Amino acid sequence: MFTVRCAALSGPPVEAGNSVSVKVPKTSADVVIVIEQDLKNSEIFKELIAPLVSTLTNDLKTKGIT
């Protein structure tokens, strides 16, 4: 078993499955989605992640965020 966590610019690391609040960016944003490369995740990627990325990109563009 292993622990997955994401380093934060300020504050403690964020454990997998937890969420944090962030300030709304003014002009740009970096979004990272991590999916284990495994055949069992191919359906999740195709059905959920690909449409999510497209929708998120379009929503951010409407707010002037690239």
Side-chain angles (χ1 to χ4, degrees):
M1 184 172 184
F2 58 93
T3 303
V4 178
R5 65 181 72 179
C6 180
L9 289 178
S10 62
V14 179
E15 300 294 328
N18 293 343
S19 60
V20 295
S21 296
V22 295
K23 293 180 182 179
V24 176
K26 295 185 190 291
T27 59
S28 66
D30 294 327
V31 178
V32 178
I33 300 172
V34 179
I35 301 174
E36 181 181 7
Q37 187 174 351
D38 191 315
L39 285 176
K40 66 183 180 187
N41 292 332
S42 63
E43 191 71 19
I44 292 171
F45 182 81
K46 183 171 69 175
E47 299 295 326
L48 298 175
I49 303 303
L52 170 67
V53 170
S54 178
T55 300
L56 183 59
T57 300
N58 290 334
D59 288 351
L60 289 172
K61 281 183 183 178
T62 63
K63 297 189 182 302
I65 300 169
T66 60

